[in-house]
Amino acid sequence: MFLRLTLLTGVTSHMDDEYRWAGVEDPKVMITTSRDPSSRLKMFAKELKLVFPGAQRMNRGRHEVGALVRACKANGVTDLLVVHEHRGTPVGLIVSHLPFGPTAYFTLCNVVMRHDIPDLGTASEAKPHLIMHGFSSRLGKRVCDILRYLFPVPKDDSRRVITFANQDDYISFRHHVYKKTDHRNVELTEVGPRFELKLYMIRLGTLEQEATADVEWRWHPYTNTAHKRVFLSAE
């Protein structure tokens, strides 16, 4: 009995449990917008759909958050992404992992749509290789997991690369395809979109539990040392 209790209490934390099937089963991502989206926000949501293999996009309509989450859970969705805007500019991204959480809240900035990128490459549907750079603190590793588990495990021959590079708590997102020009060199072509993310909160529950879920981490911009500190890297 003692051995069994030790095993049960030592195997999983809530973080283990949240992503128990990550890497075993492909994620199923649903993307939607805030209510009454502008044409530009709709376009950004369409471009995000191209980023995540197998993702689906849902028109928000008049659906409340609770109804969205229930519908996603009923259809086996693993992650609900909601993009927000201010006067036609995408300014926020929420990533809610289902069915138990966590939910991460990001500010979006410096968004460049695909059609605004010169010499644009063709979007690939292959499962991408991921480059995760600069997530060396405990919080950084947590955010790294939240982002990387939105993607399935790629095949070795995939020519698609997605980068999340953290510098001073701003996470730069870049999306490329590459081809080998000879046995020593490769040629990168940007596919887009591109943007920066800044984490401002992680809650333990799912999106509809905002009022009751515990806050795991929150950025406090008005403390005296806020402008000096970085949280996602251990430097």
Side-chain angles (χ1 to χ4, degrees), residues 88-129:
T89 301
V91 295
L93 173 67
I94 301 172
V95 179
S96 188
H97 184 62
L98 303 176
F100 304 120
T103 299
Y105 299 76
F106 298 91
T107 300
L108 268 173
C109 55
N110 301 327
V111 175
V112 180
M113 303 282 202
R114 293 187 71 239
H115 61 265
D116 294 325
I117 295 175
D119 303 320
L120 183 71
T122 303
S124 168
E125 294 185 3
K127 298 173 181 179
H129 296 287

Side-chain angles (χ1 to χ4, degrees), residues 53-135:
Q56 295 178 291
R57 187 175 63 88
M58 177 169 52
N59 291 328
R60 176 67 182 269
R62 296 185 175 276
H63 298 300
E64 294 182 352
V65 169
L68 287 177
V69 174
R70 286 192 297 273
C72 287
K73 287 180 179 179
N75 286 279
V77 170
T78 60
D79 297 273
L80 173 63
L81 275 58
V82 184
V83 286
H84 293 265
E85 66 182 338
H86 179 67
R87 295 182 178 178
T89 301
V91 295
L93 173 67
I94 301 172
V95 179
S96 188
H97 184 62
L98 303 176
F100 304 120
T103 299
Y105 299 76
F106 298 91
T107 300
L108 268 173
C109 55
N110 301 327
V111 175
V112 180
M113 303 282 202
R114 293 187 71 239
H115 61 265
D116 294 325
I117 295 175
D119 303 320
L120 183 71
T122 303
S124 168
E125 294 185 3
K127 298 173 181 179
H129 296 287
L130 299 181
I131 298 173
M132 313 296 288
H133 176 74
F135 298 92

Side-chain angles (χ1 to χ4, degrees), residues 4-36:
R4 182 171 180 269
L5 286 174
T6 304
L7 289 172
L8 286 174
T9 55
V11 168
T12 60
S13 68
H14 73 273
M15 294 184 189
D16 295 325
D17 195 54
E18 290 164 348
Y19 291 101
R20 178 173 294 175
W21 302 112
V24 179
E25 298 177 356
D26 285 354
K28 189 174 179 182
V29 175
M30 180 67 72
I31 300 167
T32 191
T33 65
S34 50
R35 286 182 173 175
D36 300 319

Side-chain angles (χ1 to χ4, degrees), residues 146-217:
I146 289 169
L147 295 174
R148 71 189 177 101
Y149 288 139
L150 296 171
F151 297 88
V153 177
K155 294 183 178 178
D156 290 342
D157 60 355
S158 174
R159 298 292 178 90
R160 186 180 175 202
V161 181
I162 283 177
T163 304
F164 291 95
N166 170 54
Q167 184 171 7
D168 297 331
D169 288 348
Y170 284 91
I171 304 166
S172 296
F173 171 90
R174 299 294 185 269
H175 182 193
H176 296 86
V177 291
Y178 72 89
K179 62 181 179 181
K180 291 184 177 179
T181 53
D182 55 47
H183 70 284
R184 292 174 59 184
N185 299 298
V186 297
E187 183 180 287
L188 274 180
T189 305
E190 188 170 3
V191 176
R194 73 169 79 132
F195 50 84
E196 267 70 53
L197 297 168
K198 185 172 177 63
L199 178 74
Y200 67 88
M201 185 164 58
I202 300 177
R203 289 185 184 272
L204 288 179
T206 49
L207 186 55
E208 87 285 11
Q209 298 170 339
E210 275 188 323
T212 57
D214 290 339
V215 174
E216 180 178 330
W217 182 86

